[in-house]
Amino acid sequence: MYSILWLFDTLITLYVWILIASAILSWLVVFNVVNAHNPIVRSVGEFLWRVTEPVLAPLRRVLPNLGGIDVSPVILIILLYFIRNLVFELVAGS
């Protein structure tokens, strides 16, 4: 059972890092630090968008508009850690 929990924890941690990388890359593109027309940057950005957008889009529809500030990655990270801790408590309690 601990191997499954370890895998679950590792997948959540990996997805959190992907969310952070996606947010940082979007900031770098917006502030013209990296060129979005570069094929490597474009392919990394496309990968990050395809992995994160299906989960972030429903959150963005629910959250109120904060005037250009996107807090959906932060909310998703908090939800992921909450779910992780909840699963660990349920397993430890049984």
Side-chain angles (χ1 to χ4, degrees):
M1 186 63 167
Y2 290 113
S3 298
I4 295 172
L5 286 177
W6 174 82
L7 179 63
F8 181 70
D9 181 45
T10 303
L11 290 175
I12 286 181
T13 303
L14 181 64
Y15 197 74
V16 166
W17 281 109
I18 289 173
L19 285 168
I20 292 169
S22 176
I24 290 173
L25 183 64
S26 71
W27 296 338
L28 292 176
V29 169
V30 166
F31 292 121
N32 290 325
V33 176
V34 294
N35 185 1
H37 299 294
N38 183 332
I40 295 172
V41 174
R42 186 175 43 235
S43 64
V44 169
E46 180 72 20
F47 168 76
L48 292 174
W49 186 81
R50 286 180 186 255
V51 171
T52 59
E53 192 61 25
V55 182
L56 290 175
L59 274 176
R60 288 187 185 120
R61 285 194 294 270
V62 173
L63 293 173
N65 186 4
L66 296 177
I69 299 174
D70 186 16
V71 294
S72 59
V74 176
I75 301 297
L76 182 58
I77 290 171
I78 292 170
L79 285 173
L80 286 172
Y81 280 130
F82 173 76
I83 291 169
R84 184 192 70 171
N85 290 340
L86 183 66
V87 167
F88 282 150
E89 288 177 9
L90 289 174
V91 171
S94 60

